[in-house]
Amino acid sequence: MDFLVLSADDARKDGLASEYILGLISFLTSLLAGVFGFGGGMLLIAILPIYLTPAAIIPVHGITQLASNASRMIFSWEHVQWNLLPKFLMGSLLGVVLSLLFLSSINTEFIPIAIGFYIILNIWSATFAKIMTRYESYYIIGFLQTGLGMFVGATGPLALSVLTKELKCKDEVVATSSVFMTISHLAKVPVFITIGFSLKSMSVTVLLMVIGAIIGSFVGTKLRNKIANKALIWVIKALLTLMAIRMIIMVIVN
């Protein structure tokens, strides 16, 4: 994680036009997340290498996702289950501290496989879900999602798989998940500052992507309200499963 202060030319590949394209892409991926509660961040980070150099991808992605999740939280404020927040927040703080102290020296290559199998079993195996209910804790979920999120992508579905099982309202699931993801992405900001990433060199790109993310969250929230509750919960479970399978396959292939 050795980032340098980037010049505008170093950070962008294709000039001014790419900034507006990235703003549009940010809108579309945030809209997707606004409807389903996840997926937009994964799609965005898969596209960013086309337009940004490697050193800029993680910081720009993190800032954009922070805007996407925070705005989605605000637009769904009344549906957030705030009683779950203190436990998740405490776990997240511990996860950040321990990850910075210890996880940098641990091989995290196969962690996505464990996450993938956990998501699949937790959603579709009643026996596994019943067993895990005895041990599942939002302290642990916060610790894993935020702590591992510093090094491993796609940890957000950890909390979403539990929320989908515990909460029966689609708006509560998406809104509460957005709060958790806001905390996880916010925790990365001190890391970006420490490694010396300069927002000044990327100000136009980041601004357009943040604006796109906020508008996408608003439109996605409105579209979510037009989809039946049971149908959307089923779609979320199906997409989580496909994402988990992809995580497992990508590690094995690579």
PDB file of all heavy atoms in Angstrom, residues 124-161:
ATOM      1  N   TRP A 124     -28.695 -19.955   2.576  1.00  0.00           N
ATOM      2  CA  TRP A 124     -29.465 -21.070   2.042  1.00  0.00           C
ATOM      3  C   TRP A 124     -29.531 -22.306   2.932  1.00  0.00           C
ATOM      4  O   TRP A 124     -30.370 -23.183   2.690  1.00  0.00           O
ATOM      5  CB  TRP A 124     -28.916 -21.469   0.668  1.00  0.00           C
ATOM      6  CG  TRP A 124     -28.964 -20.341  -0.315  1.00  0.00           C
ATOM      7  CD1 TRP A 124     -27.923 -19.655  -0.846  1.00  0.00           C
ATOM      8  CD2 TRP A 124     -30.144 -19.740  -0.870  1.00  0.00           C
ATOM      9  NE1 TRP A 124     -28.352 -18.674  -1.699  1.00  0.00           N
ATOM     10  CE2 TRP A 124     -29.716 -18.695  -1.744  1.00  0.00           C
ATOM     11  CE3 TRP A 124     -31.514 -19.972  -0.731  1.00  0.00           C
ATOM     12  CZ2 TRP A 124     -30.616 -17.907  -2.459  1.00  0.00           C
ATOM     13  CZ3 TRP A 124     -32.402 -19.170  -1.435  1.00  0.00           C
ATOM     14  CH2 TRP A 124     -31.949 -18.165  -2.298  1.00  0.00           C
ATOM     15  N   SER A 125     -28.680 -22.418   3.937  1.00  0.00           N
ATOM     16  CA  SER A 125     -28.709 -23.588   4.814  1.00  0.00           C
ATOM     17  C   SER A 125     -29.372 -23.225   6.140  1.00  0.00           C
ATOM     18  O   SER A 125     -28.799 -22.490   6.949  1.00  0.00           O
ATOM     19  CB  SER A 125     -27.283 -24.114   5.068  1.00  0.00           C
ATOM     20  OG  SER A 125     -27.308 -25.137   6.057  1.00  0.00           O
ATOM     21  N   ALA A 126     -30.560 -23.749   6.366  1.00  0.00           N
ATOM     22  CA  ALA A 126     -31.279 -23.446   7.602  1.00  0.00           C
ATOM     23  C   ALA A 126     -30.520 -23.955   8.819  1.00  0.00           C
ATOM     24  O   ALA A 126     -30.496 -23.312   9.874  1.00  0.00           O
ATOM     25  CB  ALA A 126     -32.676 -24.070   7.551  1.00  0.00           C
ATOM     26  N   THR A 127     -29.880 -25.124   8.671  1.00  0.00           N
ATOM     27  CA  THR A 127     -29.116 -25.700   9.785  1.00  0.00           C
ATOM     28  C   THR A 127     -27.925 -24.823  10.137  1.00  0.00           C
ATOM     29  O   THR A 127     -27.687 -24.498  11.307  1.00  0.00           O
ATOM     30  CB  THR A 127     -28.619 -27.106   9.419  1.00  0.00           C
ATOM     31  OG1 THR A 127     -29.739 -27.934   9.100  1.00  0.00           O
ATOM     32  CG2 THR A 127     -27.838 -27.716  10.584  1.00  0.00           C
ATOM     33  N   PHE A 128     -27.172 -24.418   9.119  1.00  0.00           N
ATOM     34  CA  PHE A 128     -26.009 -23.556   9.346  1.00  0.00           C
ATOM     35  C   PHE A 128     -26.441 -22.219   9.941  1.00  0.00           C
ATOM     36  O   PHE A 128     -25.814 -21.706  10.878  1.00  0.00           O
ATOM     37  CB  PHE A 128     -25.274 -23.323   8.024  1.00  0.00           C
ATOM     38  CG  PHE A 128     -24.048 -22.463   8.149  1.00  0.00           C
ATOM     39  CD1 PHE A 128     -22.830 -23.004   8.541  1.00  0.00           C
ATOM     40  CD2 PHE A 128     -24.109 -21.100   7.868  1.00  0.00           C
ATOM     41  CE1 PHE A 128     -21.696 -22.214   8.652  1.00  0.00           C
ATOM     42  CE2 PHE A 128     -22.980 -20.300   7.970  1.00  0.00           C
ATOM     43  CZ  PHE A 128     -21.774 -20.862   8.363  1.00  0.00           C
ATOM     44  N   ALA A 129     -27.518 -21.647   9.385  1.00  0.00           N
ATOM     45  CA  ALA A 129     -28.007 -20.354   9.875  1.00  0.00           C
ATOM     46  C   ALA A 129     -28.430 -20.445  11.332  1.00  0.00           C
ATOM     47  O   ALA A 129     -28.181 -19.524  12.126  1.00  0.00           O
ATOM     48  CB  ALA A 129     -29.180 -19.884   9.019  1.00  0.00           C
ATOM     49  N   LYS A 130     -29.050 -21.558  11.699  1.00  0.00           N
ATOM     50  CA  LYS A 130     -29.489 -21.746  13.081  1.00  0.00           C
ATOM     51  C   LYS A 130     -28.297 -21.846  14.021  1.00  0.00           C
ATOM     52  O   LYS A 130     -28.289 -21.272  15.113  1.00  0.00           O
ATOM     53  CB  LYS A 130     -30.350 -23.004  13.181  1.00  0.00           C
ATOM     54  CG  LYS A 130     -30.952 -23.222  14.559  1.00  0.00           C
ATOM     55  CD  LYS A 130     -31.863 -24.445  14.562  1.00  0.00           C
ATOM     56  CE  LYS A 130     -32.481 -24.654  15.943  1.00  0.00           C
ATOM     57  NZ  LYS A 130     -33.378 -25.843  15.953  1.00  0.00           N
ATOM     58  N   ILE A 131     -27.268 -22.573  13.576  1.00  0.00           N
ATOM     59  CA  ILE A 131     -26.058 -22.717  14.390  1.00  0.00           C
ATOM     60  C   ILE A 131     -25.364 -21.369  14.531  1.00  0.00           C
ATOM     61  O   ILE A 131     -24.936 -20.981  15.622  1.00  0.00           O
ATOM     62  CB  ILE A 131     -25.102 -23.742  13.755  1.00  0.00           C
ATOM     63  CG1 ILE A 131     -25.728 -25.138  13.802  1.00  0.00           C
ATOM     64  CG2 ILE A 131     -23.749 -23.742  14.474  1.00  0.00           C
ATOM     65  CD1 ILE A 131     -24.933 -26.192  13.050  1.00  0.00           C
ATOM     66  N   MET A 132     -25.242 -20.638  13.428  1.00  0.00           N
ATOM     67  CA  MET A 132     -24.524 -19.373  13.441  1.00  0.00           C
ATOM     68  C   MET A 132     -25.243 -18.315  14.272  1.00  0.00           C
ATOM     69  O   MET A 132     -24.611 -17.405  14.813  1.00  0.00           O
ATOM     70  CB  MET A 132     -24.336 -18.853  12.017  1.00  0.00           C
ATOM     71  CG  MET A 132     -23.321 -19.645  11.188  1.00  0.00           C
ATOM     72  SD  MET A 132     -21.707 -19.780  11.995  1.00  0.00           S
ATOM     73  CE  MET A 132     -21.259 -18.058  12.147  1.00  0.00           C
ATOM     74  N   THR A 133     -26.571 -18.436  14.391  1.00  0.00           N
ATOM     75  CA  THR A 133     -27.327 -17.469  15.176  1.00  0.00           C
ATOM     76  C   THR A 133     -26.833 -17.412  16.616  1.00  0.00           C
ATOM     77  O   THR A 133     -26.876 -16.375  17.274  1.00  0.00           O
ATOM     78  CB  THR A 133     -28.825 -17.816  15.152  1.00  0.00           C
ATOM     79  OG1 THR A 133     -29.284 -17.802  13.800  1.00  0.00           O
ATOM     80  CG2 THR A 133     -29.637 -16.810  15.957  1.00  0.00           C
ATOM     81  N   ARG A 134     -26.323 -18.546  17.107  1.00  0.00           N
ATOM     82  CA  ARG A 134     -25.825 -18.609  18.484  1.00  0.00           C
ATOM     83  C   ARG A 134     -24.539 -17.799  18.653  1.00  0.00           C
ATOM     84  O   ARG A 134     -24.212 -17.356  19.740  1.00  0.00           O
ATOM     85  CB  ARG A 134     -25.543 -20.057  18.876  1.00  0.00           C
ATOM     86  CG  ARG A 134     -26.737 -20.994  18.726  1.00  0.00           C
ATOM     87  CD  ARG A 134     -26.317 -22.422  18.980  1.00  0.00           C
ATOM     88  NE  ARG A 134     -27.389 -23.370  18.705  1.00  0.00           N
ATOM     89  CZ  ARG A 134     -27.235 -24.696  18.719  1.00  0.00           C
ATOM     90  NH1 ARG A 134     -26.037 -25.209  19.003  1.00  0.00           N
ATOM     91  NH2 ARG A 134     -28.242 -25.482  18.453  1.00  0.00           N
ATOM     92  N   TYR A 135     -23.803 -17.628  17.544  1.00  0.00           N
ATOM     93  CA  TYR A 135     -22.489 -16.992  17.627  1.00  0.00           C
ATOM     94  C   TYR A 135     -22.417 -15.643  16.907  1.00  0.00           C
ATOM     95  O   TYR A 135     -21.494 -14.866  17.163  1.00  0.00           O
ATOM     96  CB  TYR A 135     -21.422 -17.924  17.032  1.00  0.00           C
ATOM     97  CG  TYR A 135     -21.410 -19.293  17.667  1.00  0.00           C
ATOM     98  CD1 TYR A 135     -22.002 -20.371  17.021  1.00  0.00           C
ATOM     99  CD2 TYR A 135     -20.829 -19.499  18.906  1.00  0.00           C
ATOM    100  CE1 TYR A 135     -22.001 -21.634  17.594  1.00  0.00           C
ATOM    101  CE2 TYR A 135     -20.818 -20.760  19.488  1.00  0.00           C
ATOM    102  CZ  TYR A 135     -21.410 -21.819  18.832  1.00  0.00           C
ATOM    103  OH  TYR A 135     -21.407 -23.065  19.411  1.00  0.00           O
ATOM    104  N   GLU A 136     -23.375 -15.395  16.003  1.00  0.00           N
ATOM    105  CA  GLU A 136     -23.334 -14.151  15.249  1.00  0.00           C
ATOM    106  C   GLU A 136     -23.500 -12.952  16.168  1.00  0.00           C
ATOM    107  O   GLU A 136     -24.371 -12.925  17.029  1.00  0.00           O
ATOM    108  CB  GLU A 136     -24.422 -14.146  14.169  1.00  0.00           C
ATOM    109  CG  GLU A 136     -24.034 -14.926  12.932  1.00  0.00           C
ATOM    110  CD  GLU A 136     -25.146 -14.984  11.917  1.00  0.00           C
ATOM    111  OE1 GLU A 136     -26.301 -14.651  12.264  1.00  0.00           O
ATOM    112  OE2 GLU A 136     -24.862 -15.371  10.778  1.00  0.00           O
ATOM    113  N   SER A 137     -22.661 -12.002  15.962  1.00  0.00           N
ATOM    114  CA  SER A 137     -22.687 -10.794  16.778  1.00  0.00           C
ATOM    115  C   SER A 137     -22.311  -9.616  15.895  1.00  0.00           C
ATOM    116  O   SER A 137     -21.418  -9.730  15.049  1.00  0.00           O
ATOM    117  CB  SER A 137     -21.692 -10.911  17.935  1.00  0.00           C
ATOM    118  OG  SER A 137     -21.410  -9.650  18.501  1.00  0.00           O
ATOM    119  N   TYR A 138     -22.977  -8.491  16.082  1.00  0.00           N
ATOM    120  CA  TYR A 138     -22.637  -7.320  15.287  1.00  0.00           C
ATOM    121  C   TYR A 138     -21.292  -6.733  15.690  1.00  0.00           C
ATOM    122  O   TYR A 138     -20.687  -5.979  14.941  1.00  0.00           O
ATOM    123  CB  TYR A 138     -23.754  -6.280  15.373  1.00  0.00           C
ATOM    124  CG  TYR A 138     -24.959  -6.686  14.553  1.00  0.00           C
ATOM    125  CD1 TYR A 138     -26.066  -7.275  15.146  1.00  0.00           C
ATOM    126  CD2 TYR A 138     -24.965  -6.524  13.168  1.00  0.00           C
ATOM    127  CE1 TYR A 138     -27.155  -7.679  14.379  1.00  0.00           C
ATOM    128  CE2 TYR A 138     -26.043  -6.922  12.404  1.00  0.00           C
ATOM    129  CZ  TYR A 138     -27.141  -7.500  13.009  1.00  0.00           C
ATOM    130  OH  TYR A 138     -28.212  -7.908  12.245  1.00  0.00           O
ATOM    131  N   TYR A 139     -20.806  -7.123  16.873  1.00  0.00           N
ATOM    132  CA  TYR A 139     -19.432  -6.763  17.241  1.00  0.00           C
ATOM    133  C   TYR A 139     -18.463  -7.448  16.272  1.00  0.00           C
ATOM    134  O   TYR A 139     -17.537  -6.830  15.739  1.00  0.00           O
ATOM    135  CB  TYR A 139     -19.112  -7.226  18.668  1.00  0.00           C
ATOM    136  CG  TYR A 139     -19.868  -6.523  19.756  1.00  0.00           C
ATOM    137  CD1 TYR A 139     -20.874  -7.178  20.456  1.00  0.00           C
ATOM    138  CD2 TYR A 139     -19.575  -5.205  20.108  1.00  0.00           C
ATOM    139  CE1 TYR A 139     -21.575  -6.551  21.471  1.00  0.00           C
ATOM    140  CE2 TYR A 139     -20.268  -4.558  21.121  1.00  0.00           C
ATOM    141  CZ  TYR A 139     -21.276  -5.240  21.801  1.00  0.00           C
ATOM    142  OH  TYR A 139     -21.960  -4.606  22.803  1.00  0.00           O
ATOM    143  N   ILE A 140     -18.693  -8.747  16.061  1.00  0.00           N
ATOM    144  CA  ILE A 140     -17.820  -9.540  15.190  1.00  0.00           C
ATOM    145  C   ILE A 140     -17.974  -9.108  13.732  1.00  0.00           C
ATOM    146  O   ILE A 140     -16.992  -8.984  12.993  1.00  0.00           O
ATOM    147  CB  ILE A 140     -18.130 -11.044  15.337  1.00  0.00           C
ATOM    148  CG1 ILE A 140     -17.835 -11.492  16.771  1.00  0.00           C
ATOM    149  CG2 ILE A 140     -17.322 -11.864  14.333  1.00  0.00           C
ATOM    150  CD1 ILE A 140     -18.220 -12.932  17.046  1.00  0.00           C
ATOM    151  N   ILE A 141     -19.229  -8.880  13.304  1.00  0.00           N
ATOM    152  CA  ILE A 141     -19.478  -8.447  11.934  1.00  0.00           C
ATOM    153  C   ILE A 141     -18.771  -7.125  11.659  1.00  0.00           C
ATOM    154  O   ILE A 141     -18.140  -6.919  10.616  1.00  0.00           O
ATOM    155  CB  ILE A 141     -20.989  -8.305  11.664  1.00  0.00           C
ATOM    156  CG1 ILE A 141     -21.682  -9.667  11.727  1.00  0.00           C
ATOM    157  CG2 ILE A 141     -21.229  -7.654  10.313  1.00  0.00           C
ATOM    158  CD1 ILE A 141     -21.224 -10.656  10.680  1.00  0.00           C
ATOM    159  N   GLY A 142     -18.852  -6.184  12.602  1.00  0.00           N
ATOM    160  CA  GLY A 142     -18.181  -4.892  12.450  1.00  0.00           C
ATOM    161  C   GLY A 142     -16.676  -5.050  12.386  1.00  0.00           C
ATOM    162  O   GLY A 142     -15.998  -4.410  11.562  1.00  0.00           O
ATOM    163  N   PHE A 143     -16.148  -5.921  13.249  1.00  0.00           N
ATOM    164  CA  PHE A 143     -14.708  -6.180  13.275  1.00  0.00           C
ATOM    165  C   PHE A 143     -14.227  -6.729  11.932  1.00  0.00           C
ATOM    166  O   PHE A 143     -13.242  -6.259  11.362  1.00  0.00           O
ATOM    167  CB  PHE A 143     -14.383  -7.171  14.391  1.00  0.00           C
ATOM    168  CG  PHE A 143     -12.977  -7.689  14.362  1.00  0.00           C
ATOM    169  CD1 PHE A 143     -11.928  -6.928  14.840  1.00  0.00           C
ATOM    170  CD2 PHE A 143     -12.695  -8.945  13.841  1.00  0.00           C
ATOM    171  CE1 PHE A 143     -10.622  -7.395  14.814  1.00  0.00           C
ATOM    172  CE2 PHE A 143     -11.403  -9.428  13.801  1.00  0.00           C
ATOM    173  CZ  PHE A 143     -10.362  -8.651  14.286  1.00  0.00           C
ATOM    174  N   LEU A 144     -14.941  -7.720  11.412  1.00  0.00           N
ATOM    175  CA  LEU A 144     -14.529  -8.369  10.170  1.00  0.00           C
ATOM    176  C   LEU A 144     -14.749  -7.467   8.964  1.00  0.00           C
ATOM    177  O   LEU A 144     -13.862  -7.331   8.113  1.00  0.00           O
ATOM    178  CB  LEU A 144     -15.297  -9.684   9.984  1.00  0.00           C
ATOM    179  CG  LEU A 144     -14.989 -10.802  10.988  1.00  0.00           C
ATOM    180  CD1 LEU A 144     -15.903 -12.003  10.753  1.00  0.00           C
ATOM    181  CD2 LEU A 144     -13.526 -11.227  10.886  1.00  0.00           C
ATOM    182  N   GLN A 145     -15.932  -6.855   8.867  1.00  0.00           N
ATOM    183  CA  GLN A 145     -16.242  -6.059   7.677  1.00  0.00           C
ATOM    184  C   GLN A 145     -15.311  -4.863   7.536  1.00  0.00           C
ATOM    185  O   GLN A 145     -14.796  -4.595   6.450  1.00  0.00           O
ATOM    186  CB  GLN A 145     -17.696  -5.580   7.729  1.00  0.00           C
ATOM    187  CG  GLN A 145     -18.073  -4.696   6.537  1.00  0.00           C
ATOM    188  CD  GLN A 145     -19.551  -4.429   6.463  1.00  0.00           C
ATOM    189  OE1 GLN A 145     -20.365  -5.345   6.482  1.00  0.00           O
ATOM    190  NE2 GLN A 145     -19.936  -3.160   6.391  1.00  0.00           N
ATOM    191  N   THR A 146     -15.094  -4.144   8.622  1.00  0.00           N
ATOM    192  CA  THR A 146     -14.258  -2.949   8.550  1.00  0.00           C
ATOM    193  C   THR A 146     -12.780  -3.281   8.596  1.00  0.00           C
ATOM    194  O   THR A 146     -11.982  -2.721   7.838  1.00  0.00           O
ATOM    195  CB  THR A 146     -14.604  -1.987   9.705  1.00  0.00           C
ATOM    196  OG1 THR A 146     -16.001  -1.682   9.649  1.00  0.00           O
ATOM    197  CG2 THR A 146     -13.808  -0.696   9.601  1.00  0.00           C
ATOM    198  N   GLY A 147     -12.403  -4.212   9.466  1.00  0.00           N
ATOM    199  CA  GLY A 147     -10.990  -4.583   9.587  1.00  0.00           C
ATOM    200  C   GLY A 147     -10.445  -5.219   8.332  1.00  0.00           C
ATOM    201  O   GLY A 147      -9.432  -4.772   7.771  1.00  0.00           O
ATOM    202  N   LEU A 148     -11.143  -6.238   7.840  1.00  0.00           N
ATOM    203  CA  LEU A 148     -10.680  -6.915   6.625  1.00  0.00           C
ATOM    204  C   LEU A 148     -10.866  -6.040   5.397  1.00  0.00           C
ATOM    205  O   LEU A 148     -10.184  -6.212   4.391  1.00  0.00           O
ATOM    206  CB  LEU A 148     -11.437  -8.236   6.436  1.00  0.00           C
ATOM    207  CG  LEU A 148     -11.155  -9.332   7.458  1.00  0.00           C
ATOM    208  CD1 LEU A 148     -11.989 -10.570   7.152  1.00  0.00           C
ATOM    209  CD2 LEU A 148      -9.676  -9.679   7.497  1.00  0.00           C
ATOM    210  N   GLY A 149     -11.805  -5.085   5.473  1.00  0.00           N
ATOM    211  CA  GLY A 149     -12.044  -4.191   4.350  1.00  0.00           C
ATOM    212  C   GLY A 149     -10.849  -3.339   3.986  1.00  0.00           C
ATOM    213  O   GLY A 149     -10.772  -2.807   2.886  1.00  0.00           O
ATOM    214  N   MET A 150      -9.900  -3.219   4.915  1.00  0.00           N
ATOM    215  CA  MET A 150      -8.678  -2.483   4.633  1.00  0.00           C
ATOM    216  C   MET A 150      -7.802  -3.226   3.619  1.00  0.00           C
ATOM    217  O   MET A 150      -6.982  -2.627   2.929  1.00  0.00           O
ATOM    218  CB  MET A 150      -7.871  -2.274   5.925  1.00  0.00           C
ATOM    219  CG  MET A 150      -8.580  -1.446   6.972  1.00  0.00           C
ATOM    220  SD  MET A 150      -8.651   0.285   6.501  1.00  0.00           S
ATOM    221  CE  MET A 150      -9.493   0.964   7.937  1.00  0.00           C
ATOM    222  N   PHE A 151      -7.977  -4.537   3.544  1.00  0.00           N
ATOM    223  CA  PHE A 151      -7.084  -5.359   2.728  1.00  0.00           C
ATOM    224  C   PHE A 151      -7.817  -6.240   1.722  1.00  0.00           C
ATOM    225  O   PHE A 151      -7.257  -6.617   0.702  1.00  0.00           O
ATOM    226  CB  PHE A 151      -6.235  -6.270   3.629  1.00  0.00           C
ATOM    227  CG  PHE A 151      -5.490  -5.525   4.698  1.00  0.00           C
ATOM    228  CD1 PHE A 151      -6.020  -5.362   5.954  1.00  0.00           C
ATOM    229  CD2 PHE A 151      -4.256  -4.958   4.420  1.00  0.00           C
ATOM    230  CE1 PHE A 151      -5.340  -4.653   6.937  1.00  0.00           C
ATOM    231  CE2 PHE A 151      -3.557  -4.259   5.394  1.00  0.00           C
ATOM    232  CZ  PHE A 151      -4.108  -4.102   6.654  1.00  0.00           C
ATOM    233  N   VAL A 152      -9.064  -6.609   2.024  1.00  0.00           N
ATOM    234  CA  VAL A 152      -9.809  -7.549   1.192  1.00  0.00           C
ATOM    235  C   VAL A 152     -11.076  -6.889   0.689  1.00  0.00           C
ATOM    236  O   VAL A 152     -11.823  -6.292   1.469  1.00  0.00           O
ATOM    237  CB  VAL A 152     -10.190  -8.818   1.988  1.00  0.00           C
ATOM    238  CG1 VAL A 152     -10.924  -9.798   1.090  1.00  0.00           C
ATOM    239  CG2 VAL A 152      -8.944  -9.453   2.579  1.00  0.00           C
ATOM    240  N   GLY A 153     -11.340  -6.974  -0.611  1.00  0.00           N
ATOM    241  CA  GLY A 153     -12.545  -6.372  -1.165  1.00  0.00           C
ATOM    242  C   GLY A 153     -13.787  -7.176  -0.845  1.00  0.00           C
ATOM    243  O   GLY A 153     -13.722  -8.330  -0.433  1.00  0.00           O
ATOM    244  N   ALA A 154     -14.963  -6.546  -1.032  1.00  0.00           N
ATOM    245  CA  ALA A 154     -16.262  -7.221  -0.946  1.00  0.00           C
ATOM    246  C   ALA A 154     -16.552  -7.814   0.419  1.00  0.00           C
ATOM    247  O   ALA A 154     -17.065  -8.914   0.525  1.00  0.00           O
ATOM    248  CB  ALA A 154     -16.343  -8.311  -2.017  1.00  0.00           C
ATOM    249  N   THR A 155     -16.250  -7.099   1.502  1.00  0.00           N
ATOM    250  CA  THR A 155     -16.615  -7.589   2.836  1.00  0.00           C
ATOM    251  C   THR A 155     -18.003  -7.112   3.250  1.00  0.00           C
ATOM    252  O   THR A 155     -18.559  -7.620   4.225  1.00  0.00           O
ATOM    253  CB  THR A 155     -15.591  -7.123   3.884  1.00  0.00           C
ATOM    254  OG1 THR A 155     -15.519  -5.699   3.872  1.00  0.00           O
ATOM    255  CG2 THR A 155     -14.226  -7.709   3.609  1.00  0.00           C
ATOM    256  N   GLY A 156     -18.559  -6.141   2.554  1.00  0.00           N
ATOM    257  CA  GLY A 156     -19.874  -5.609   2.895  1.00  0.00           C
ATOM    258  C   GLY A 156     -20.973  -6.660   2.992  1.00  0.00           C
ATOM    259  O   GLY A 156     -21.813  -6.600   3.904  1.00  0.00           O
ATOM    260  N   PRO A 157     -21.002  -7.639   2.084  1.00  0.00           N
ATOM    261  CA  PRO A 157     -22.047  -8.664   2.159  1.00  0.00           C
ATOM    262  C   PRO A 157     -22.032  -9.488   3.442  1.00  0.00           C
ATOM    263  O   PRO A 157     -23.003 -10.193   3.720  1.00  0.00           O
ATOM    264  CB  PRO A 157     -21.736  -9.543   0.930  1.00  0.00           C
ATOM    265  CG  PRO A 157     -21.132  -8.594  -0.035  1.00  0.00           C
ATOM    266  CD  PRO A 157     -20.275  -7.696   0.806  1.00  0.00           C
ATOM    267  N   LEU A 158     -20.958  -9.435   4.213  1.00  0.00           N
ATOM    268  CA  LEU A 158     -20.955 -10.135   5.500  1.00  0.00           C
ATOM    269  C   LEU A 158     -22.123  -9.657   6.352  1.00  0.00           C
ATOM    270  O   LEU A 158     -22.889 -10.459   6.892  1.00  0.00           O
ATOM    271  CB  LEU A 158     -19.633  -9.881   6.238  1.00  0.00           C
ATOM    272  CG  LEU A 158     -18.448 -10.765   5.870  1.00  0.00           C
ATOM    273  CD1 LEU A 158     -17.176 -10.240   6.527  1.00  0.00           C
ATOM    274  CD2 LEU A 158     -18.698 -12.199   6.292  1.00  0.00           C
ATOM    275  N   ALA A 159     -22.249  -8.345   6.505  1.00  0.00           N
ATOM    276  CA  ALA A 159     -23.344  -7.788   7.299  1.00  0.00           C
ATOM    277  C   ALA A 159     -24.674  -7.946   6.588  1.00  0.00           C
ATOM    278  O   ALA A 159     -25.695  -8.234   7.219  1.00  0.00           O
ATOM    279  CB  ALA A 159     -23.076  -6.320   7.597  1.00  0.00           C
ATOM    280  N   LEU A 160     -24.668  -7.770   5.276  1.00  0.00           N
ATOM    281  CA  LEU A 160     -25.920  -7.831   4.519  1.00  0.00           C
ATOM    282  C   LEU A 160     -26.564  -9.205   4.619  1.00  0.00           C
ATOM    283  O   LEU A 160     -27.788  -9.325   4.700  1.00  0.00           O
ATOM    284  CB  LEU A 160     -25.671  -7.462   3.054  1.00  0.00           C
ATOM    285  CG  LEU A 160     -26.910  -7.222   2.189  1.00  0.00           C
ATOM    286  CD1 LEU A 160     -27.748  -6.096   2.769  1.00  0.00           C
ATOM    287  CD2 LEU A 160     -26.508  -6.887   0.767  1.00  0.00           C
ATOM    288  N   SER A 161     -25.748 -10.262   4.617  1.00  0.00           N
ATOM    289  CA  SER A 161     -26.301 -11.610   4.712  1.00  0.00           C
ATOM    290  C   SER A 161     -26.983 -11.830   6.055  1.00  0.00           C
ATOM    291  O   SER A 161     -27.994 -12.540   6.151  1.00  0.00           O
ATOM    292  CB  SER A 161     -25.201 -12.656   4.502  1.00  0.00           C
ATOM    293  OG  SER A 161     -24.229 -12.599   5.535  1.00  0.00           O
TER     294      SER A 161
END
